Amino acid sequence: MDPNVKNAVTPTTPPKVENGSPSEITLDEFEDLNALSKNDDSTVSITVVGASGDLAKKKIFPALFALYYEDCLPKHFTIFGYARSKMTDAELRNMVSKTLTCRIDKRENCSEKMDEFLKRCFYHSGQYDSEEHFKDLDKKLKQHEGSRVSNRLFYLSIPPNIFLDVVKCASKSASSVNGWTRVIVEKPFGRDSESSAALTRGLKQYLVEDQIFRIDHYLGKELVENLSVLRFSNLVFEPLWSRQYIRNVQLIFSEDFGTEGRGGYFDSYGIIRDIMQNHLLQILALFAMETPISLEAEDIRNEKVKVLRSMKPLQLEDVVIGQYKSHTKGGTSYPGYTDDKTVPKDSVTPTFAAAALFINNARWDGVPFLMKAGKALHTKRAEIRVQFRHVPGNLYKGSFGTDLDRATNELVIRVQPDEAIYLKINNKIPGLGMRLDRSNLNLHYAARYSKEIPDAYERLLLDAIEGERRLFIRSDELDAAWSLFTPLLKELEEKRIAPELYPYGSRGPVGAHYLAAKYNVRWGDLSAEHYKA
């Protein structure tokens, strides 16, 4: 942990609130907040670029408040919103205050903590490509930083086409002169290998690799973070983690809603770029990597890169794409993807994709890694399912009353919602006869832990402040990920391959089942048992 990151200050008096929103405070009053410890000689200034956008309002500001609420932010910190919209400090605070919530398990002094946090939030209006406007921001930041060592974090909550403008202006006009400067970049990191490489080259004109924090919020999910603990800290799992015992691995992501009027962005990227190339591939790399020599960021990222470089690029015959169509269920009509007014009527952009990937190394040779991601499906879920091999010469194969596939062990790591880890085992049903069924050894997080699980953005923001890089994506890792998917994406787009249509709220296109069957796999999320877990 960064030695400068200590517990947050609790100011002695909360701010006055007028007309339901925090009042303006003077610079002197703000300095009083930070004057409780003269010994601390550093401060962190967090600038949310694109502060008026949905991501900032719904995720970034609430995550920053949650960190403050848990006493995880540095003692001296300032938060600035930066966007083109004209707004006063009080208007920003009023906007932010509507999205803040306190921990369920820790409600005391909630409104007081909110007011204290909002007093540290300020706003600066400016153009994204104006060095002058960033110089003005720099002056404001210096006023709040005073004589302390200034550390600066810029969160780019903006469209990718203006990343480089902002990085250029922030780097030239608003970098710290005596501390660190870091930039968090949101996906998408390009559309293919070429555009991603161009973006990386552009960023590196103004920043070094260690200053760039490419955020994939799925890596901050509690159950993804727990993957390496589960594997490397439990002797019962690590010896089984190979082709010798594992038959297949499934990475499943499903949403039960469509684009809902926001298809403009999605249509230019599609489900493969939006979910598979980043979220699911990152989870796969963490799952399949060799034991790193330490928990240091570079050691972990080195192992992830080795996995990605061991994989063969995706082939069209190993991919199924789909697009949801309108459907009426229970008297309610659900629109199809191309019914969205922001989507072209002739769009062939996939809203569903299933793919079989293979890792050509000694540990995983021949094991199919099946990915599935889609919108407007029957359930909202993200999970990893590990299906083990059949027991050799199974003595009890006649006692199940089901096929052998249903009698094999399966480890399920449910990332969201209702986080859980459970292992399906075979068990004798009590009684005089010999009847077996499948039971779950179940770790249900809500039942086991009373503490609320932090949002992924909280963990990743805290890591960026502390300089912890293991959950952020390195440039060579990004290159390796794009090289797997770029040939496929180009072929799909050049040939304008039509996706298989599936009804809104269904289990997806039938082709996904044929793809799984091709590799002797049955999707684990389609069985009745799946809903009992």
Side-chain angles (χ1 to χ4, degrees):
M1 183 182 285
D2 190 319
N4 293 324
V5 177
K6 302 192 189 298
N7 290 338
V9 168
T10 302
T12 52
T13 56
K16 296 173 185 174
V17 176
E18 297 170 2
N19 300 323
S21 66
S23 62
E24 296 282 353
I25 63 170
T26 66
L27 184 59
D28 288 340
E29 288 175 314
F30 179 82
E31 279 301 312
D32 287 342
L33 292 173
N34 283 339
L36 295 183
S37 173
K38 294 291 184 185
N39 297 326
D40 261 4
D41 60 352
S42 69
T43 181
V44 173
S45 300
I46 302 162
T47 302
V48 181
V49 183
S52 55
D54 270 358
L55 178 66
K57 287 188 281 192
K58 294 177 181 176
K59 290 291 185 182
I60 302 169
F61 285 113
L64 288 168
F65 170 66
L67 292 174
Y68 176 71
Y69 187 72
E70 294 285 346
D71 292 339
C72 291
L73 286 183
K75 184 168 288 186
H76 307 298
F77 74 92
T78 314
I79 296 170
F80 259 88
Y82 185 101
R84 289 176 297 209
S85 313
K86 297 294 182 185
M87 206 186 306
T88 64
D89 292 344
E91 286 169 336
L92 174 80
R93 291 171 190 153
N94 192 41
M95 178 190 83
V96 169
S97 68
K98 294 173 183 175
T99 65
L100 303 186
T101 56
C102 291
R103 292 276 191 238
I104 293 168
D105 56 341
K106 201 173 164 187
R107 290 243 180 240
E108 68 274 9
N109 303 322
C110 181
S111 59
E112 202 173 301
K113 291 284 265 187
M114 282 186 184
D115 290 340
E116 292 161 6
F117 173 77
L118 291 167
K119 284 182 81 169
R120 293 169 180 259
C121 295
F122 300 86
Y123 186 76
H124 183 72
S125 174
Q127 295 298 314
Y128 295 130
D129 59 354
S130 169
E131 288 186 36
E132 283 304 313
H133 292 172
F134 275 87
K135 280 179 184 171
D136 293 338
L137 171 68
D138 180 60
K139 289 173 188 172
K140 287 187 178 179
L141 292 177
K142 282 176 176 170
Q143 282 184 307
H144 292 290
E145 290 161 350
S147 58
R148 297 186 185 91
V149 173
S150 72
N151 297 311
R152 295 183 179 178
L153 177 67
F154 292 87
Y155 196 120
L156 305 193
S157 177
I158 49 176
N161 61 311
I162 50 177
F163 281 170
L164 295 183
D165 288 338
V166 170
V167 168
K168 176 184 177 182
C169 295
S171 174
K172 288 189 170 184
S173 303
S175 284
S176 169
V177 292
N178 56 5
W180 52 254
T181 300
R182 296 171 187 153
V183 177
I184 296 180
V185 185
E186 272 278 354
K187 77 172 183 73
F189 314 116
R191 297 187 79 256
D192 51 27
S193 291
E194 291 78 13
S195 57
S196 174
L199 177 60
T200 296
R201 283 195 304 272
L203 291 173
K204 288 187 176 180
Q205 286 179 20
Y206 310 105
L207 303 168
V208 297
E209 177 67 31
D210 281 354
Q211 291 179 284
I212 305 168
F213 287 69
R214 297 174 189 85
I215 194 170
D216 182 336
H217 72 272
Y218 253 71
L219 294 183
K221 298 276 186 187
E222 188 69 38
L223 272 290
V224 176
E225 175 86 331
N226 194 42
L227 250 182
S228 56
V229 177
L230 185 73
R231 179 177 163 193
F232 299 128
S233 187
N234 292 285
L235 185 61
V236 70
F237 289 122
E238 175 56 20
L240 305 179
W241 224 258
S242 73
R243 62 191 298 274
Q244 188 175 355
Y245 296 103
I246 291 177
R247 192 159 48 116
N248 67 79
V249 180
Q250 301 174 21
L251 300 111
I252 298 168
F253 175 97
S254 64
E255 291 178 335
D256 56 1
F257 54 88
T259 51
E260 297 179 346
R262 302 182 66 187
Y265 159 79
F266 184 85
D267 196 68
S268 62
Y269 287 92
I271 199 75
I272 296 174
R273 289 184 178 92
D274 197 42
I275 303 297
M276 292 179 109
Q277 183 272 339
N278 41 71
H279 298 335
L280 296 188
L281 191 62
Q282 283 292 318
I283 294 173
L284 186 157
L286 277 171
F287 178 94
M289 71 182 185
E290 296 297 320
T291 309
I293 60 172
S294 80
L295 292 176
E296 291 298 314
E298 297 314 306
D299 294 331
I300 292 173
R301 298 199 291 188
N302 288 344
E303 295 304 332
K304 287 169 65 186
V305 170
K306 286 179 191 175
V307 171
L308 296 175
R309 288 179 175 165
S310 299
M311 298 173 74
K312 62 178 183 180
L314 267 170
Q315 305 298 312
L316 195 58
E317 60 265 25
D318 284 332
V319 176
V320 170
I321 59 170
Q323 187 185 93
Y324 66 89
K325 63 181 180 180
S326 60
H327 181 57
T328 301
K329 185 177 181 181
T332 304
S333 292
Y334 298 93
Y337 176 67
T338 53
D339 296 330
D340 187 327
K341 291 177 181 176
T342 62
V343 172
K345 291 296 178 191
D346 62 346
S347 173
V348 291
T349 298
T351 61
F352 175 99
L357 297 96
F358 293 88
I359 303 170
N360 297 327
N361 64 18
R363 183 184 289 270
W364 297 112
D365 185 42
V367 176
F369 283 76
L370 269 72
M371 283 184 184
K372 183 168 68 169
K375 287 183 170 292
L377 296 172
H378 67 297
T379 185
K380 180 180 180 181
R381 191 154 300 214
E383 60 189 13
I384 308 160
R385 302 182 78 91
V386 186
Q387 294 185 347
F388 292 92
R389 295 195 179 280
H390 304 305
V391 174
N394 193 332
L395 293 172
Y396 296 98
K397 62 185 176 184
S399 304
F400 284 95
T402 60
D403 61 77
L404 201 58
D405 266 355
R406 297 188 184 279
T408 55
N409 301 125
E410 186 176 27
L411 175 67
V412 181
I413 302 166
R414 190 190 300 146
V415 177
Q416 71 174 30
D418 206 22
E419 294 86 350
I421 301 170
Y422 55 97
L423 178 66
K424 294 181 180 249
I425 62 164
N426 300 318
N427 198 49
K428 179 183 177 297
I429 298 172
L432 298 177
M434 178 56 74
R435 290 177 56 235
L436 276 64
D437 74 350
R438 291 230 289 186
S439 306
N440 291 338
L441 296 178
N442 193 350
L443 167 59
H444 183 215
Y445 270 58
R448 174 66 179 85
Y449 302 107
S450 59
K451 190 175 177 62
E452 186 185 358
I453 293 176
D455 184 79
Y457 281 92
E458 296 170 32
R459 175 174 286 110
L460 293 167
L461 275 162
L462 183 59
D463 280 356
I465 291 167
E466 295 182 345
E468 171 57 71
R469 295 176 177 82
R470 66 197 166 86
L471 297 179
F472 294 90
I473 302 165
R474 205 167 62 188
S475 59
D476 58 341
E477 199 179 336
L478 188 60
D479 292 344
W482 273 121
S483 68
L484 293 174
F485 280 89
T486 294
L488 168 75
L489 289 164
K490 286 193 171 176
E491 190 173 359
L492 287 172
E493 287 165 3
E494 286 169 3
K495 294 180 178 178
R496 279 189 65 81
I497 293 173
E500 180 185 340
L501 297 179
Y502 62 95
Y504 192 117
S506 70
R507 295 171 185 264
V510 175
H513 303 288
Y514 288 111
L515 175 65
K518 177 180 171 182
Y519 295 105
N520 198 26
V521 174
R522 177 182 288 156
W523 290 108
D525 65 325
L526 302 181
S527 67
E529 289 179 9
H530 180 66
Y531 302 102
K532 295 177 189 175

